[in-house]
């Protein structure tokens, strides 16, 4: 993994000439409460995520960059009156290609190699679960060019293709391969499987 990040850094340094740099980011908040058939609350899942990116355009249609993210979450069980808290982080070099442009709109495919982790604790501060994961994922992005420098982006995480390998606290490894379209998460703003809205600023 260390050699991979060194190689990515060398590639960045080699092609900076005539490249247009950009910075980007997103800030998301979501909360969802499940209820039983009687209307009583069962669980409330609340999440906060922030993501920042730095990259540059090699051509008008192709760019590469690095994304870093951090998230906090809480899950309250109303029946048992218990609560757990989680923290997560992500580092992901990526490449994007704009394969469709229409006026100010663009449809972009993003491929990224992510290294991320998550830790969940109970009310007493004891670690309930902990895992790290390496994944290769491809997801579509819709972009709208407000100006020559400012771009709004919408990452459609509910439509994705990828492979992820999880290593959990006890040392076991779980491999996951996924491809599909999850219509239940189309409007899950800020969640890991829904729609993420952000921006890019081109220098």
């Amino acid at each position: 993994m260390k050699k991979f990040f060194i190689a990515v850094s060398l590639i960045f340094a080699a092609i900076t000439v005539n490249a247009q740099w950009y910075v980007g980011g997103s800030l998301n908040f979501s909360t969802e409460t499940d209820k039983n058939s009687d209307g009583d609350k069962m669980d409330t899942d609340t999440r906060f995520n922030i993501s920042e990116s730095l990259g540059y355009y090699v051509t008008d249609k192709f760019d590469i960059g690095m994304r870093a993210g951090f998230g906090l979450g809480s899950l309250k069980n109303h029946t048992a009156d218990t609560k757990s808290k989680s923290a997560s982080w992500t580092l992901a070099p990526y490449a994007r290609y704009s394969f469709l442009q229409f006026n100010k709109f663009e449809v972009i495919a993003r491929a990224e190699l992510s290294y991320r982790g998550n830790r969940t604790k109970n009310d007493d501060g004891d670690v309930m679960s902990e895992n790290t994961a390496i994944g290769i994922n491809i997801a579509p992005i819709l972009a709208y060019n407000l100006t020559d420098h400012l771009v709004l982006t919408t990452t459609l995480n509910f439509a994705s293709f990828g492979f992820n390998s999880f290593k959990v606290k006890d040392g076991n490894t779980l491999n996951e391969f996924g491809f599909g379209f999850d219509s239940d998460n189309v409007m899950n703003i800020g969640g890991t499987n829904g729609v993420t809205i952000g921006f890019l600023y081109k220098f």
Side-chain angles (χ1 to χ4, degrees):
M1 180 58 63
K2 182 178 180 180
K3 292 181 179 179
F4 173 81
F5 283 110
I6 292 176
V8 171
S9 300
L10 291 176
I11 293 173
F12 282 2
I15 57 177
T16 54
V17 178
N18 297 323
Q20 184 177 22
W21 286 84
Y22 66 83
V23 294
S26 62
L27 183 67
N28 305 304
F29 174 82
S30 67
T31 183
E32 181 179 2
T33 299
D34 292 330
K35 298 182 179 180
N36 59 23
S37 58
D38 296 326
D40 299 325
K41 293 182 180 180
M42 298 177 63
D43 297 299
T44 297
D45 188 1
T46 303
R47 300 185 187 185
F48 169 81
N49 295 278
I50 184 171
S51 179
E52 305 294 336
S53 59
L54 172 66
Y56 52 80
Y57 286 89
V58 180
T59 69
D60 291 339
K61 292 186 175 183
F62 179 71
D63 65 270
I64 57 179
M66 175 71 75
R67 182 174 67 89
F70 178 75
L72 295 173
S74 67
L75 179 63
K76 180 176 178 60
N77 186 308
H78 297 277
T79 303
D81 195 24
T82 59
K83 188 175 183 180
S84 62
K85 296 182 179 180
S86 62
S88 61
W89 54 268
T90 301
L91 289 175
Y94 62 82
R96 307 188 318 162
Y97 181 76
S98 175
F99 60 89
L100 180 62
Q101 296 179 340
F102 179 74
N103 292 330
K104 293 187 177 182
F105 289 93
E106 291 183 74
V107 181
I108 302 169
R110 184 188 68 193
E112 69 174 22
L113 172 64
S114 63
Y115 179 54
R116 59 194 189 275
N118 180 279
R119 174 182 288 181
T120 301
K121 296 182 178 181
N122 60 20
D123 285 334
D124 297 325
D126 300 323
V127 177
M128 301 171 59
S129 65
E130 185 176 15
N131 66 74
T132 57
I134 297 176
I136 300 175
N137 293 277
I138 300 173
I141 296 174
L142 299 182
Y144 180 76
N145 296 275
L146 287 174
T147 68
D148 291 339
H149 295 281
L150 185 60
V151 182
L152 293 181
T153 61
T154 302
T155 305
L156 307 179
N157 297 312
F158 59 83
S160 62
F161 170 84
F163 172 82
N164 295 275
S165 180
F166 299 88
K167 185 174 182 180
V168 296
K169 186 179 179 182
D170 59 9
N172 291 328
T173 300
L174 173 65
N175 295 323
E176 178 183 83
F177 177 83
F179 172 76
F181 181 88
D182 187 359
S183 60
D184 292 335
N185 284 310
V186 171
M187 293 307 297
N188 182 18
I189 303 296
T192 56
N193 296 319
V195 177
T196 300
I197 299 175
F199 75 94
L200 292 180
Y201 182 81
K202 304 175 184 178
F203 293 101

